[in-house]
Every structure is written in structure tokens, then in C-alpha cells.
Amino acid sequence: MASSSGDDEFVVLVCSDPNNQIETDISNEEIVISTTDFSTWDYPSTLSFSTFKIQAHRNRLIEESSYFRGLLSGSFSESCLDYISIQWQLETFLNVVRCIFGFRLDITSKNFIPLFQAALYFGVEMLLMQLKSWLSEASLSKDPGLFQIQLEDLIDIWDFGLELDNGFVQEICASYLARNFMWAMSNKIFKDMPYELLLLCVKHPHLTIDSEKHLSDALLIWLHSNTEQLERSSRTECEFFDILKQIRISLLPLWFAAGKRSSISFSELANESVDSIFKLMKVTPKGSMNVLGDGDLSHLRIRLTKYSKKVDLSGCPQITPMILLLSFLPNNHNSYLALRKTIKESASNFEQADGTKCQITQSLLPTLSFEAVLEVDISGCLKLPLEDAIDYFSNSFPFLRRVKAAYLLNFKMTTLYRLIQKCSLVSEVDITVDVNPLISSQLSVISSSSAVVSMAPNRAYFVGDKFSMTSLYHLGPSPSNITKLTLEGRSDVCDSHIQYISKFCASLCYLNLKGCISVTDVCMANLIRRCTKLQSLLVCHTSFGMNSILALCNASPSFSNSPSAQFGKRPLDSLASNLQLLHMGGCKCADEASLLELLSQNQMLKSLCLRDTNLADSALCSFSGSLLEVLDVSNTMISGAALHHVVCTNPGLKCLNARGCKNLFQPENTKKEAKISSSYSCEELFIELGKTCRLEEIALGWGLSYFSLQALKPAILSLRAMTVCLGGTLPEDSLRLLPTTCPLLESLVLYFQVISDCIIINILTSLRQLRTLALCYCFGDISNSSFNLSMPNLRILKLERVTPWMTNNDLVLLTRNCANLVELSLLGSKLNSDAQCIISHGWPGLISLHLEDCGEVTENGVSSLFNCIALENLLLRHNGSGIQRNFILEAASKMPMLRQVSLDVCDAKEGDFDLPDDADRYSLRIVKIARCKSTRCNVGSHFADTTRKPVHRETLVLVWNSTNVVRTVVKERL
């Protein structure tokens, strides 16, 4: 039909989808719509038609679309027609027309590509601008829960931009991926990332990661998942692995770098990383001038961008103030010059002749502020003076909320005070250290003494403008924002420190005092009265007792302080009634009556630990809560009937630990007030668990059997951790069916069970996600064939008194099949001194190693084991009397993360060991040295002589904290 002239003339666009093969109703074959009625369109119902006839203004089409401009105003035959046929995807074309006529489109990552294709084809510049604008804005999204571009869509958009050779799209994709790399690497399709996109992302200045370890892990996962692609690619394998050179290996955690020395693709870089870490650890302020040099310092800069939210430096003993300052400076040559100049000037002001102290003032440098950083983890950063770090963080991380500084004995309480004052927005602090092994009330102490450690700071750098830490408390800082405080293992924390906390941290909701043995019950009670917002309280192995329980159970501080305060009155607004987590394992100061009163008021508890307490049936049955998810009653005298009572009223129970409960399944005449039937059957507990709960972790001993496991089946289908202890008996049929009964198991610990090769092989073959396997004091015959299969996911392996046949050859087999172990415990085997080399070469990243009664491993001394440089816990006992006298000192220096050492004088080459002082102990927190005595052992009348068998006599235990070292001798073997 010929067109008529005029400015308002219409043209009809007849659009159908050439790819639409779906048969539609005749009534829905076509619809006629007009661009003048866009605002009244029923958009969803419009899309149900197979053909659109759109009446559109000719001039508007010509103005906004180069396609229609050429078609309607040129020499084409269609220029004089009123009908134009369009073959395109209907929804996409309809959106193109809407854009042409001024409507803002709802662009998503799903429709971005079809809209972009249409915009290019029809030459709609307005739509191209909208798409580019949307892509730019969407790429700036900071909230992980509101990502507008999903990873699979990002990959498609990248491929589309690559196909078009559109640099804008490629840059936006790389920038978006760089900023959100932590989110992307956790996505299951990360391995499908195109190499070019990944490389551009890793080189992008906005690459935002928590640590270099995360980047390394991500790249290795990608490379290992793309082996076939590497083989098919025209590139050489070396070209692909060049991406690993983008990793700043000098900033990797020591344990990570050490572990990767056995990786085929990463071994060379891992060795370079380890060398670099140890070089940086030896750098003095004067030597830092040589480290800085005159070249590019990017490899020493911690990756910080304006999008960084977390900085994870844990396990990096090489981090120094120089590295922190370098990372806080602008990445340009002038900043490097300023840092070099500042250090050079400071070097002339050494406070000691040996040049171990140097004053570096941050205010003289043009440091940047990273306002998005909310969390910092400096656990194990031995070379980082904490007061300096706090000053740096207060300036460069003004909105810091969470600080973790675990396993740093130099983090004193005065350091905590400084942190609270300087970083006033911090709400969570964790300064955990290893718990003192001398916390059990059952230990027999022979002697004990303590000595004050050197108060002179063993530091490499000082920051200027410091004031007295002693005066900080007396200055009376304003109340802090601390809501979560972890002081686990801090035996140096005393009542005066807790008084400070109760005064200035009144908003505490979570408090962990586990192992704080110097804090009294009265002091804890006062803190509880002041901190009325407490919801989580962890006080295992402390003096927590009747005073603290009284404070929890009473309604108000005034009532608790009055002479009439007593148990038996149950106010509705007590602190106990608001607790959601209470862990008081090992607190023997709480008697049965106080426990009964406490549990009767814990209606809101979700996690409860009463391990090793005076818990009795009456107290447990008084528990009034119904929200429990975690319950630990191990090593108590409760009965199965009392536990059954709790299980019935807490269907959400996920973790149950009842190991060591000898009365759990023994008939018992229960007291009338216990509110439980004396006709109780022990199987009722398992039946109730099976009906009511869906467990994720369980630890049981006495009473566990084939029949009880059958009753538990419905409850343990989702079980991830299982421990079977003394008293539990799982026959061969039960153990054989374990992978079917608990298909999701990640941790399996068996004590005193009957095992065989077929059982172990079945478990390891079926449970491929198993990460922890412990076989301790089990009976039966197993051979090396049990471990003759690959277990790449296994991280922790304990074989205690189950492999007396194990030789060096068997150990080699174990290193090949369990290549990723980080913890190994062997008790009883036939190894020789070559086993040291096998272990250090096969598992260079071990963080825990226990070898006891393992033949002659240390008969010729200790040498190769020093290559396990990331060890944190080392036990060597009865492996041969060749360990050198200075072993502890040498181990501490060559294994800088080593915190616990356990030895036996029997193995000392010279009959004793040198003990470290405060200056050369590095990370050492605990040293345990056992001593044996010889007893005659009559081997029979056929032999004329008797042999001497070593029998334990005593253990010397040294425990360091921030203020002193305690030397204790106990009768027990620790």
C-alpha cells in the first residue's frame, strides 16, 4: 500500500519471530498495537501473540534508527510502503521500538546481549547508550546480595564483546570481575571463565581479594579444571601458567607456600615464595633500604582497592610495618621515594647500637584511606609491632569493625585498650592463643614456679608520638563499641583487665574467656551484672561458678548484690533467660544445685556445653529450652533417660556429644524430681533421635551398637562428623554400611573398634569427601592395602596403635595417596630416620605432626623434619635417642609458626634439652618434656636377664604468655 505524505503519517511494522516453532492458538496469531498507546499496553499479554503489527510514526523511526532511516528515506522500494516486514525475536524488537519512542527499558544481564545485537542491527544509538549506561552502573554494584550481573551472564557478555571486538564491553567485564573476584571464585562455573577474561581481570588495578592465597587458590583451581583446554589450545602450556606470575608470592601465608612446594604446577613459585618470606623475616630497618631498592615495589604491596572489605594477612610472619606503609601509599614512583627517604632519615636515629629499633612516622607519608575495609586478620604476623599496626589501621581503615590477632603473645591487654581507643568503631576483637594444657583439676602438680618475661619490646620498628600504655587505663576512655570479644587461652588476663572490660565494654553480646584461668568467679560475676546485653558466654576451664551463675539467674544488679540474693527465685528478665550460647565445660566450681537453677532459666539457648561438669539428671531435666542446636554433655554422669527428655523437647538438635557418659545406658533408679520414668529403655533415646532430629555431628561411646545405629538412621542421613568412643561397639556390618547410612560424612573418628581392610577400603572408596580420618587403638588386622587408593580430599589422618607393620615404604605410599594432608599422627610403627625426608618431601605443608613409638625416626637426630617449615604443633616421643640438645631452639627458629613442642628426655642425645628464653622462642607458647623411669621387665624363665622398660614419671610444662613464663612439673603424661 502506498504511503501518504505528512509529518504524522504512520507506517505499520509487521514483526514475526523466524525461530518461533511453537504452535499458537488462532486467536493469538497477531495483535495490532500503536506507539501512541505504549503507556496502556498490557505488556505480558502482548507477548503471547505470534505476530505484532505496530503502528509507528515514520519520522520518529527515521530520526532514531539508521536502519529505518535508510529504509524509509532512501531509494529502497520499501520507502513508499506503509507495511514493513521485520523478522526478529518479538520481545527484543518490541523493546527496540519502545526505546525509539522514548521509553526507558528494564535491562537485565539476561536481555543485554539480544538488545545490544538489535541496537547494532537497527542502528538505535539511544538504545546503545542505555545499554552502556546500564552495564557501567551494574558493574559498580557493591552488595554481593544484589549482583545485577551473574557470572554465567558475565561470561556470555564477555564472549559477545570479544566477538564484536568491543573494547568497552571487555573492559567493563574485566573490571566487574576484578572488583567482585571473591564472589566469582566461589561460583561453581568459575572454572568456565575464558582465559583472556581471567588474565585481564588478574592484571586489573581494581582486583579486589582478601589475600594472595585466595588468588592463588582460584588460579590453580582454574588451571587444573582446564587441562583439556590447555592441551587443545594453540598456546603452549607455559603461556597459560604464566598467569600464576601475577601472584605476589612474597605475600603468601607461610603454610600455604610450604604446602604448594609439592604441587607440580606451583612448586617453582612456592619455593621462591618460601625463600622470599624468610628473607623478609630477617630484614632489619637498616636492611629494609636494600629491600626497597630502586625498582618497582608492586610485588610487596598488599592488594588494597577502594572496594576492599577484608584484609587477611593471617599466617604471614613476614609482614612488617614497611610492607604495611608501602601498601597504604599511592602506587607511584614519588610515593616510593617518600618512603625510602623517611626510612633513610629514621635509620640515623637508631635507639640501639645493633639497629633493631627504628622510628617511622606515618604522618610524614601521603598514605591513603580505604573506607570500605571492615575486617583485618593479622593472626600469626610475628614481625608486625601491634601498636604500630593499630596506628596504621586507625588512619587508613577509618571504618574498621573487626580485628583478629590470634596466636600473638605480644598482644597485651594494654594493646587491646589502645585498639579500643584508636579504632573507636571496632566491634569485634579476637586475640585467641592456645589454651594452657594445665587446666584440668585432676592433674597432680609436683612443683610450679613463674618468671617475668623481658618487658623490653622485641620489635623492629617504632611509630612516633606514642604515649604511655600504663596511663591509658587511667585516662578513662569513653565506652567502646565492642560487642564481641574473644580472649580464649589468655592466662595473663586477670581481674583488673576484666574490670576494665566490664566498665568500658558494656555493650558486649559475645564473650569468650575459655582458658582464662587467672580470672576469679567473683570478677566474672561482676562483669555479668554490668554487661546486661550478653547473649553468648564461653567460660570453659575457668573459675566460673556459683557467683557467676547467681549473677546470671537474678533479675537486676541491685538484687544480685543484696544479701538476700539466692537460688530458687526465677525472675522472667534474668540474663540467663536471654542467653543463646553457654559453654562452661570443665567448670567444676558449679555444683548440682546451681546448675539446676541455671538450666531452668535458659529458655533461649541454642548451644550448650556442659562437658566435664557436675551435671546430674535433675539439672539436665530442668532445662526449659526448646531451641537447642548444639549439646555437649560428654564426661558427665547423666543417664539416657535425662538426655532423652532433652531430645524430646529440642527437635532442632544438630550436634550431640555424649562421649564418656558411663551412666548413659545403665539402668538407674531416677529421682522423683527428675520427671522421667524409671522404666526407661536405653534404645528409646536412639529411637527418639531418629524420629525427631536431623544431626550433622555426633560423638557417642557407651551404649552405641548395631541396633542403636539402625534406630538412628533417619537422623544421620545428613551427618558430617561422627566419633565413636570407648564403650561404643559397631560390628562389621554397621561399619560396612556406614557410607550408605551417612553418605555425607567428612570426619570419621573411631576408638577401640574392630576394623579390617575391607571396612577401611569401603569407607575410603565410598566417602570421597572425607577430610578427617582417625583410627585410634582399634582392633583387627589391617594392612597397607587399606591405604592403597587416592584420597586427595583427606586433610587430617591419625593412625594410633593400628599400623605396627608400617615401614618407610608404606609411608611413601601414604604420601602419594594422601598428598594434601596438613595434620598427621602416627603412634606405633617401624620407621627409621629416612622417614623424616619422606614426610618433609611428601607433606611439606604440615601444620601438625605427632610421631610416637615410631621405631628409629630420631635415632640419628632431627634434620629433614626442619623442612616442614609451617609446623605449628610437633610431638616427637620414643622415636630414638638422637635428638640434639638445642633442638627446641633450632626448631623455633626454622619453624617460625611453631607454637607447641612435646618431647621426651628418653630421646635426648645428651640426656636433656636446652630451653628457650623469651628472646629466641619466636611463636612458642607451650613446651612439654616428659621424663621416664626404667623398670625391670621379666621376659620369662627361658632368659637369664631381664629387660628395662621405660615408664612415665613426670612431665615438665613451660607455658609463656605476654607477661611471664610458668614452669610446672606434673605426674601425668601430657
Side-chain angles (χ1 to χ4, degrees), residues 8-68:
D8 295 328
E9 64 183 55
F10 285 91
V11 62
V12 177
L13 307 177
V14 182
C15 183
S16 58
D17 189 346
N19 299 318
N20 188 2
Q21 303 296 328
I22 303 175
E23 294 184 6
T24 57
D25 235 326
I26 295 178
S27 60
N28 283 346
E29 282 188 353
E30 67 178 36
I31 183 174
V32 179
I33 51 181
S34 173
T35 55
T36 58
D37 303 326
F38 267 143
S39 58
T40 62
W41 280 9
D42 183 357
Y43 195 65
S45 63
T46 302
L47 295 176
S48 65
F49 289 86
S50 60
T51 302
F52 297 161
K53 290 185 176 179
I54 306 174
Q55 292 182 339
H57 290 280
R58 178 187 294 266
N59 288 344
R60 182 72 177 203
L61 291 174
I62 292 172
E63 290 171 1
E64 300 297 338
S65 166
S66 60
Y67 174 86
F68 289 114

Side-chain angles (χ1 to χ4, degrees), residues 442-489:
Q442 300 175 0
L443 291 176
S444 303
V445 177
I446 299 174
S447 65
S448 182
S449 62
S450 65
V452 177
V453 299
S454 172
M455 298 303 292
N458 182 21
R459 297 168 44 177
Y461 300 81
F462 274 74
V463 174
D465 305 322
K466 293 207 179 297
F467 52 86
S468 172
M469 290 286 98
T470 307
S471 64
L472 190 55
Y473 177 85
H474 302 288
L475 291 177
S478 58
S480 77
N481 290 308
I482 299 292
T483 58
K484 184 174 182 180
L485 180 60
T486 300
L487 302 175
E488 182 172 323

Side-chain angles (χ1 to χ4, degrees), residues 673-703:
E673 62 267 27
K675 303 179 184 178
I676 51 180
S677 171
S678 60
S679 61
Y680 166 82
S681 167
C682 66
E683 296 301 325
E684 291 180 27
L685 172 62
F686 292 112
I687 294 172
E688 188 63 37
L689 280 167
K691 289 192 307 182
T692 307
C693 304
R694 294 295 177 267
L695 296 172
E696 295 178 2
E697 297 181 20
I698 191 169
L700 288 171
W702 299 98

Side-chain angles (χ1 to χ4, degrees), residues 740-932:
T740 305
T741 309
C742 312
L744 302 180
L745 269 184
E746 296 178 1
S747 173
L748 178 62
V749 180
L750 301 178
Y751 286 91
F752 301 103
Q753 301 302 302
V754 179
I755 57 177
S756 64
D757 278 339
C758 63
I759 289 174
I760 302 303
I761 291 172
N762 180 49
I763 288 173
L764 297 178
T765 303
S766 304
L767 299 175
R768 302 305 296 169
Q769 71 279 11
L770 201 65
R771 298 177 64 86
T772 299
L773 177 65
L775 305 175
C776 306
Y777 301 91
C778 291
F779 311 104
D781 295 323
I782 64 171
S783 65
N784 60 3
S785 61
S786 290
F787 304 99
N788 196 15
L789 65 159
S790 178
M791 295 169 278
N793 292 322
L794 202 63
R795 297 292 185 271
I796 300 174
L797 179 63
K798 296 183 179 181
L799 301 174
E800 300 181 356
R801 299 298 183 194
V802 294
T803 57
W805 41 261
M806 182 176 285
T807 64
N808 286 9
N809 290 335
D810 302 316
L811 192 61
V812 171
L813 182 68
L814 211 55
T815 62
R816 293 172 182 168
N817 292 326
C818 307
N820 296 313
L821 288 186
V822 293
E823 295 187 26
L824 175 67
S825 178
L826 297 177
L827 177 54
S829 64
K830 298 178 180 179
L831 306 177
N832 62 34
S833 57
D834 291 338
Q836 292 187 41
C837 185
I838 296 171
I839 290 171
S840 61
H841 185 265
W843 299 301
L846 282 177
I847 61 173
S848 178
L849 176 63
H850 287 195
L851 299 176
E852 184 169 358
D853 288 333
C854 289
E856 301 176 346
V857 174
T858 58
E859 187 66 31
N860 298 321
V862 176
S863 54
S864 298
L865 280 185
F866 289 131
N867 292 326
C868 295
I869 54 175
L871 275 176
E872 300 173 3
N873 187 327
L874 177 62
L875 182 149
L876 297 173
R877 283 178 173 168
H878 291 173
N879 301 303
S881 55
I883 301 181
Q884 49 270 40
R885 186 182 185 91
N886 68 341
F887 170 75
I888 299 175
L889 308 178
E890 192 174 2
S893 63
K894 293 183 177 179
M895 304 171 180
M897 309 303 289
L898 190 64
R899 303 197 307 270
Q900 297 188 45
V901 174
S902 302
L903 302 172
D904 197 303
V905 174
C906 293
D907 297 335
K909 185 177 181 179
E910 300 179 33
D912 208 347
F913 296 106
D914 292 332
L915 299 176
D917 56 29
D918 189 58
D920 53 16
R921 63 176 174 80
Y922 291 83
S923 294
L924 270 183
R925 154 79 166 160
I926 299 167
V927 172
K928 294 182 285 186
I929 301 177
R931 187 184 300 273
C932 294

Side-chain angles (χ1 to χ4, degrees), residues 505-570:
C505 303
S507 298
L508 273 179
C509 298
Y510 177 104
L511 178 61
N512 184 347
L513 295 176
K514 179 180 177 181
C516 294
I517 55 179
S518 301
V519 181
T520 65
D521 182 32
V522 172
C523 186
M524 278 187 273
N526 291 332
L527 178 141
I528 290 169
R529 294 187 187 101
R530 283 180 174 269
C531 300
T532 57
K533 297 180 181 179
L534 273 177
Q535 294 182 343
S536 300
L537 187 60
L538 296 89
V539 288
C540 298
H541 303 294
T542 65
S543 300
F544 182 86
M546 295 178 63
N547 290 293
S548 298
I549 292 176
L550 190 63
L552 283 172
C553 292
N554 287 326
S556 66
S558 59
F559 179 77
S560 297
N561 287 323
S562 69
S564 61
Q566 59 185 345
F567 293 132
K569 299 181 179 181
R570 301 183 181 180

Side-chain angles (χ1 to χ4, degrees), residues 161 245 312 417:
K245 294 181 180 179
D312 185 357
Y417 305 157

